[in-house]
Amino acid sequence: MSNQEAFTLAKKYIPGGVNSPVRSFNSVGGMPFFTRKAQDCYLYDIEGNEYIDYVCSWGANIVGHAHEEVLAHVQNAIYNGLSFGTPTELETKLAKTICDLMKNIEQVRLVSSGTEAVMSAIRLARGFTGRKYIIKFNGCYHGHSDSMLVSAGSGVATFYNPSSSGVTEESIIHTIILEYNDTDGLKETFNKLGDEIACVIFEPYAGNMNLVFPQMEFVKTMRDLCTKYKALLIYDEVMTGFRVALNGAQSLLGINPDITVLGKIVGGGMPLAAFGGSAEIMQHLSPIGSVYQAGTLSGNPIAVTCGLANLDIIQELGFYEHITEMSQLLISGLTELAKKHSIPFCASNVGGMFGIFFQEQLPNNLEQVKCTNQKHFNDFFHLMLASGVFFAPSMYEAGFICRKHGTGVINKTLESADIAFAKLRFE
Ligand SMILES: *Cc1c(COP(=O)(O)O)cnc(C)c1O
């Protein structure tokens, strides 16, 4: 079957042919390829085409696809059964590993998706503080639970709209949206509502509006205000956890959250996510506390086995040096080539995560991300795809490097980019 035929068939039985919207290529146009298998830093589609993969399962893959050790552990685990509905020692082992790696987690609860982890973390923050309001930042994504599907309306900044139909105004009425890096907005909001704010939720490096860096002043102010007003600071590290550094974005920023949310890499390609914090906070969860939270498949033994195997590998010496070096090689190469072809371009990286922008200056918030030349991005995406390089199919997504990307692969990518930039210039 061709990709075209597979997509036509998929669309007959699955809305839009995909089980998560960004996979559809709606943003860049065209249609997705259907993956048959993945190995190391490559995807192979059902037509037999090979792609260098800079999406890496949206960041979940950091050790390389179909890693031999990971597969061996998972394979062994399945023979013991797929799900038990009782506690297992494996869960404690993973929880301990997470607590050892994440300085601000003393206790952690395992769940099955980032959406679920965020939703539960917010309920916990509200239950712990006895307050209603939550602050989030425009362009940060925290999964698709109702209270997080809010967009800042234009004009009067005190009115927000649900960003999805089906989300009631009542369910977003206590969500406040501010611009990323808007330190003054934070101060004003806490001044006005400080005693009613349960938590601030924040992507410590924003990876769902391409890649945006936090300003230190902004993060410091956020921490200080949360402490002063006894609101909880939640770092949504679903993307950045184990991605930007072994010990998370919090280790790079040196500013501590109260609750940390993890996903993606923690399950290494299996449905697994987590949220954790001090024992004092976490003890508010059921069955010992009054904040209800549960899951039939939470801490699933196969997912936990896969997560453990991944967290083992990322602790190998030089792991983060390698992915950081490869990210830097890629973005500095792209920047140089764009300059050679006089294409307005800039790029950045933190650990194994990078952003590319068809504009002169790195953005500080969503409005500035929108300044990127969308036509350039979309054309670049398709030219690269045609030459066997898969970047994220939207200018609002970050890119990812895994342990198996090496200099050969990066150089091959840059050769393709040289040709793509040349074509862009003469459009
Ligand atoms: C991916 C992501 C989520 C949602 O996780 P899912 O597993 O897709 O539900 C939440 N927050 C951030 C920062 C993410 O990148």
Side-chain angles (χ1 to χ4, degrees):
M1 202 179 275
S2 67
N3 286 313
Q4 179 73 64
E5 287 163 335
F7 195 42
T8 303
L9 188 62
K11 281 192 288 190
K12 185 163 180 226
Y13 296 106
I14 301 172
V18 293
N19 284 309
S20 196
V22 72
R23 295 180 200 168
S24 71
F25 281 32
N26 263 0
S27 174
V28 288
M31 51 156 260
F33 60 89
F34 278 59
T35 301
R36 184 176 61 81
K37 64 172 262 173
Q39 185 69 54
D40 301 333
C41 64
Y42 294 100
L43 296 180
Y44 299 88
D45 73 11
I46 55 174
E47 294 178 6
N49 299 306
E50 176 186 274
Y51 305 92
I52 299 172
D53 180 19
Y54 290 108
V55 178
C56 289
S57 188
W58 300 95
N61 166 37
I62 195 166
V63 301
H65 291 293
H67 192 288
E68 211 174 326
E69 283 166 43
V70 174
L71 294 190
H73 280 106
V74 168
Q75 210 159 16
N76 287 335
I78 62 174
Y79 290 108
N80 292 326
L82 300 178
S83 177
F84 311 134
T86 72
T88 59
E89 290 174 305
L90 284 169
E91 290 160 89
T92 312
K93 197 168 167 200
L94 180 58
K96 180 180 184 313
T97 306
I98 292 172
C99 293
D100 288 346
L101 291 175
M102 292 288 163
K103 172 172 162 245
N104 296 292
I105 301 185
E106 284 175 3
Q107 291 200 333
V108 62
R109 180 147 288 175
L110 305 179
V111 296
S112 301
S113 75
T115 294
E116 194 188 352
V118 166
M119 181 185 76
S120 308
I122 286 172
R123 184 179 306 143
L124 176 60
R126 282 174 162 159
F128 180 80
T129 58
R131 299 173 181 179
K132 290 179 185 168
Y133 282 98
I134 50 193
I135 296 177
K136 86 173 275 284
F137 300 97
N138 211 13
C140 287
Y141 178 68
H142 303 293
H144 64 95
S145 63
D146 281 12
S147 70
M148 291 290 99
L149 289 182
V150 191
S151 57
S154 53
V156 191
T158 45
F159 287 101
Y160 310 116
N161 305 312
S163 56
S164 160
S165 63
V167 174
T168 62
E169 276 160 32
E170 286 79 1
S171 58
I172 59 149
I173 215 161
H174 296 116
T175 307
I176 296 166
I177 303 216
L178 298 173
E179 291 304 319
Y180 201 81
N181 282 320
D182 179 9
T183 308
D184 290 339
L186 264 179
K187 287 183 189 161
E188 279 167 35
T189 309
F190 268 95
N191 247 331
K192 227 170 25 186
L193 278 172
D195 295 333
E196 295 177 68
I197 294 169
C199 63
V200 177
I201 185 161
F202 167 60
E203 272 185 79
Y205 292 87
N208 285 284
M209 47 171 161
N210 207 323
L211 176 57
V212 177
F213 280 56
Q215 290 161 356
M216 281 317 286
E217 178 65 18
F218 172 64
V219 190
K220 268 195 209 124
T221 304
M222 187 184 307
R223 177 66 272 176
D224 290 347
L225 288 169
C226 284
T227 304
K228 179 175 170 197
Y229 287 93
K230 298 189 164 58
L232 298 187
L233 177 53
I234 303 178
Y235 280 7
D236 181 348
E237 293 223 40
V238 170
M239 186 180 284
T240 57
F242 313 120
R243 166 59 61 188
V244 300
L246 177 62
N247 309 105
Q250 47 201 268
S251 71
L252 297 182
L253 296 175
I255 295 176
N256 301 330
D258 299 299
I259 297 178
T260 301
V261 185
L262 298 169
K264 299 196 167 101
I265 289 170
V266 78
M270 295 287 253
L272 178 66
F275 63 103
S278 68
E280 188 203 350
I281 294 172
M282 295 303 286
Q283 300 273 334
H284 280 70
L285 282 177
S286 54
I288 39 177
S290 59
V291 177
Y292 190 68
Q293 190 278 330
T296 304
L297 297 179
S298 290
N300 172 271
I302 312 305
V304 167
T305 299
C306 182
L308 274 169
N310 274 271
L311 296 193
D312 247 10
I313 296 165
I314 61 174
Q315 294 183 62
E316 283 168 7
L317 213 62
F319 189 97
Y320 286 87
E321 284 78 359
H322 176 82
I323 57 170
T324 304
E325 198 185 316
M326 291 306 113
S327 303
Q328 279 165 355
L329 200 61
L330 177 67
I331 64 163
S332 61
L334 288 173
T335 307
E336 220 167 274
L337 290 168
K339 195 168 166 199
K340 167 178 149 191
H341 294 289
S342 307
I343 304 280
F345 183 89
C346 60
S348 61
N349 88 292
V350 51
M353 180 174 168
F354 64 87
I356 56 176
F357 303 91
F358 287 84
Q359 63 193 58
E360 301 281 359
Q361 272 185 349
L362 291 176
N364 288 312
N365 58 35
L366 183 61
E367 284 316 304
Q368 293 175 10
V369 171
K370 286 180 181 167
C371 295
T372 215
N373 183 326
Q374 177 140 28
K375 182 165 174 15
H376 271 177
F377 176 84
N378 289 356
D379 291 347
F380 179 74
F381 168 83
H382 280 295
L383 288 165
M384 295 303 282
L385 189 69
S387 71
V389 181
F390 182 44
F391 283 112
S394 160
M395 62 179 240
Y396 294 104
E397 303 293 344
F400 302 101
I401 296 283
C402 77
R403 182 64 182 81
K404 301 290 177 161
H405 286 95
T407 43
V409 167
I410 304 289
N411 286 333
K412 206 170 143 208
T413 304
L414 294 175
E415 280 166 30
S416 298
D418 195 8
I419 299 166
F421 282 136
K423 284 188 180 153
L424 283 191
R425 187 181 173 185
F426 292 108
E427 271 177 351

